[in-house]
Amino acid sequence: MNQTHDTALTSWIESANSPDTDFPIQNLPFGVFSRKGDLERRVGVAIGDQIVDVGESLSANLWSGKARDVARWCDRPTLNELMQAPKESLSQFRARLSELLAGTPGDETVINPLPPGALVPMAEAEMFPAAEIGDYTDFYASIYHATNVGKIFRPDSPLLPNYKHVPIGYHGRASSIVISGTEVTRPKGQTLPSGAKTPTFGPTEMLDYEAEVGFFVGRGNELGKPVPISEAEDHLFGICLVNDWSARDIQSWEYQPLGPFLSKNFATTISPWVVTWEALEPYRVPAFFRPPADPQPLPYLSSEKDKNEGGIDLNIEVYIRSMMMREAHLRPWRLSSASLADMYWTAAQMLTHHTSSGCNLQPGDLFASGTVSGPDAGSQGCMLELTRRGSEPIALPNGEERKFLHDGDEIILRAYFQREGAARIGLGECSGLIVASSRR
Ligand code: MN
């Protein structure tokens, strides 16, 4: 950790010092935005309720050395180039930006060093996916999620024999990744209604969300050159929130033998701000504790460092707001809360495993953790688990019930780090509203 993580730091931007902001000066996440009504996309950094348009600050002679290289890569429509920057350069950029934004509001001796126009209110900006995502992979790293789901589909053998040996995943679809706030159309597909002998085609009746964390790949690896676990985190740029929308009835009919396909490729929502690997350092924890009866990971998935600090203690919450709740001006209702620290596999293990075949990852690729669920009641990160496939409906605060999602429902994911001796920093929101299937 370094001076940029210091809890005592404040910013001359007043909103950054509010106790409930996700973006205090200790965070400084990257995102891609445009000014409303302007088509040009640019890389920015969130601070309080403002965005630093770093490219706009280049003329002001504020940047030098390696920090300047990173600042120049902000003058781009995506983060792909910036994501490959050496960690050393990113660190120097972060230190310098922290210095430029530090201060006390109202202190006359601190002058805003940014040129006019380099600070954009979030309310006047539109956000876009942070990177041109070439490939997207989704893992299944929560043993609690895997066990709960397994119990529903295979009561006799909930956890398949490979689970504790191999990080399970599937190749997802990058083209349908959408930014938070984008409406999600209820997909149609083939399902086998219970008791029926032949399938039918129509709108899914079991639309679900999955609360997950996304990991953006920074530096890539060459085809045929696996990344050893000792170097895995050098290839990770940062994290965001991911909602892996899922149609459970389509999924259960199509998933054998090759895994999910159309049940998950109709939309995946991501949050706009990417919290960097350096920013999340204060919240690292040991990897999942494997009871002595569990197999130890194979050597290529194992390192002392990863075992001791491979976990990330991020709290993830899921909220719902139905159409009726919106009309009654009710606030979003919390469905669940879980911690990323409860995942069976670490980010480093997932990345190393992904490349262990020689598969090449590229800057801007995204992989997600899989549904984040914990051991306790109320920590299940999808409706399939919360309602046991619809058999135990959830009551909403206005008396409505849910087995799965209805048209007009909005799902909002939020996540934050909170730890004694460290600042509270957040990931912002990842939201999506369900709209009815198209008629065609
Ligand atoms: Mn998933």
Side-chain angles (χ1 to χ4, degrees):
M1 286 192 275
N2 54 46
Q3 76 282 358
T4 65
H5 301 104
D6 187 348
T7 50
L9 270 185
T10 56
S11 172
W12 49 265
I13 297 171
E14 202 155 355
S15 59
N17 308 321
S18 157
D20 54 358
T21 183
D22 278 344
F23 310 119
I25 191 167
Q26 292 85 356
N27 195 346
L28 305 178
F30 288 98
V32 168
F33 75 101
S34 75
R35 289 167 171 80
K36 272 185 185 157
D38 189 342
L39 289 176
E40 197 195 3
R41 298 186 188 189
R42 311 169 63 74
V43 169
V45 175
I47 174 89
D49 60 7
Q50 305 286 312
I51 301 170
V52 182
D53 184 340
V54 180
E56 201 65 33
S57 75
L58 282 169
S59 58
N61 216 15
L62 299 170
W63 306 97
S64 62
K66 289 174 179 167
R68 184 172 170 79
D69 298 340
V70 176
R72 289 221 312 266
W73 284 316
C74 291
D75 213 4
R76 300 280 190 279
T78 71
L79 273 160
N80 293 64
E81 268 181 279
L82 188 151
M83 282 171 165
Q84 342 178 18
K87 292 254 158 142
E88 174 63 23
S89 306
L90 289 168
S91 194
Q92 287 190 20
F93 173 83
R94 177 178 160 88
R96 178 62 180 146
L97 184 59
S98 174
E99 216 171 75
L100 291 170
L101 296 173
T104 312
D107 180 347
E108 302 290 321
T109 63
V110 178
I111 301 155
N112 171 1
L114 301 174
L119 217 49
V120 182
M122 284 182 184
E124 289 167 26
E126 189 179 345
M127 299 303 299
F128 300 91
E132 175 102 35
I133 300 169
D135 272 302
Y136 161 56
T137 302
D138 194 20
F139 282 90
Y140 197 51
S142 164
I143 194 167
Y144 302 109
H145 172 69
T147 306
N148 290 338
V149 170
K151 267 182 200 157
I152 294 166
F153 290 101
R154 296 173 304 273
D156 302 332
S157 60
L159 206 58
L160 293 169
N162 57 6
Y163 190 84
K164 291 179 177 175
H165 298 275
V166 54
I168 301 292
Y170 66 94
H171 281 121
R173 184 82 195 162
S175 67
S176 52
I177 294 179
V178 296
I179 194 70
S180 176
T182 308
E183 290 183 344
V184 172
T185 302
R186 178 178 297 274
K188 290 179 184 171
Q190 223 188 91
T191 61
L192 186 68
S194 73
K197 290 223 166 61
T198 52
T200 55
F201 183 85
T204 174
E205 292 178 2
M206 292 189 176
L207 186 53
D208 199 357
Y209 60 85
E210 291 189 337
E212 308 195 10
V213 171
F215 299 87
F216 273 105
V217 173
R219 210 151 50 77
N221 63 299
E222 261 177 71
L223 183 64
K225 299 255 169 72
V227 176
I229 189 144
S230 57
E231 291 168 23
E233 292 198 13
D234 300 341
H235 293 260
L236 287 164
F237 176 78
I239 67 171
C240 68
L241 280 164
V242 172
N243 184 340
D244 175 26
W245 303 98
S246 300
R248 301 302 184 188
D249 43 2
I250 300 173
Q251 185 181 353
S252 55
W253 174 233
E254 76 174 4
Y255 87 103
Q256 285 176 322
L258 288 186
F261 182 33
L262 303 183
S263 55
K264 285 172 177 281
N265 74 356
F266 56 93
T268 304
T269 305
I270 59 171
S271 60
W273 295 107
V274 183
V275 173
T276 63
W277 214 251
E278 186 174 350
L280 57 82
E281 254 173 52
Y283 319 98
R284 302 305 299 268
V285 291
F288 188 92
F289 174 74
R290 293 185 176 222
D294 279 17
Q296 288 308 303
L298 286 171
Y300 81 100
L301 291 177
S302 176
S303 85
E304 240 356 78
K305 189 170 190 290
D306 191 53
K307 192 174 171 182
N308 293 333
E309 52 196 82
I312 301 172
D313 189 11
L314 174 70
N315 305 290
I316 301 152
E317 299 178 334
V318 182
Y319 292 80
I320 189 170
R321 203 179 191 199
S322 70
M323 198 188 299
M324 279 174 65
M325 287 170 69
R326 264 195 311 284
E327 282 165 0
H329 302 287
L330 294 176
R331 276 194 283 178
W333 171 259
R334 197 172 81 182
L335 289 169
S336 68
S337 163
S339 171
L340 191 65
D342 282 326
M343 303 306 264
Y344 198 79
W345 298 101
T346 65
Q349 286 173 321
M350 289 187 264
L351 186 136
T352 291
H353 182 66
H354 202 313
T355 67
S356 62
S357 61
C359 174
N360 51 331
L361 297 176
Q362 294 180 304
D365 280 2
L366 181 72
F367 69 86
S369 60
T371 306
V372 183
S373 293
D376 308 319
S379 66
Q380 289 71 34
C382 66
M383 269 204 170
L384 176 69
E385 284 175 79
L386 280 174
T387 70
R388 295 178 204 266
R389 204 168 195 253
S391 66
E392 295 170 18
I394 296 171
L396 303 186
N398 60 347
E400 287 182 276
E401 274 195 349
R402 285 294 179 277
K403 295 175 175 173
F404 287 99
L405 298 175
H406 291 194
D407 295 343
D409 285 352
E410 185 184 11
I411 290 292
I412 304 149
L413 312 182
R414 292 179 189 151
Y416 59 94
F417 294 100
Q418 195 159 34
R419 209 177 180 196
E420 184 108 1
R424 179 201 177 282
I425 71 172
L427 268 64
E429 279 190 6
C430 178
S431 74
L433 182 109
I434 307 299
V435 298
S437 297
S438 59
R439 272 192 244 144
R440 310 216 293 174

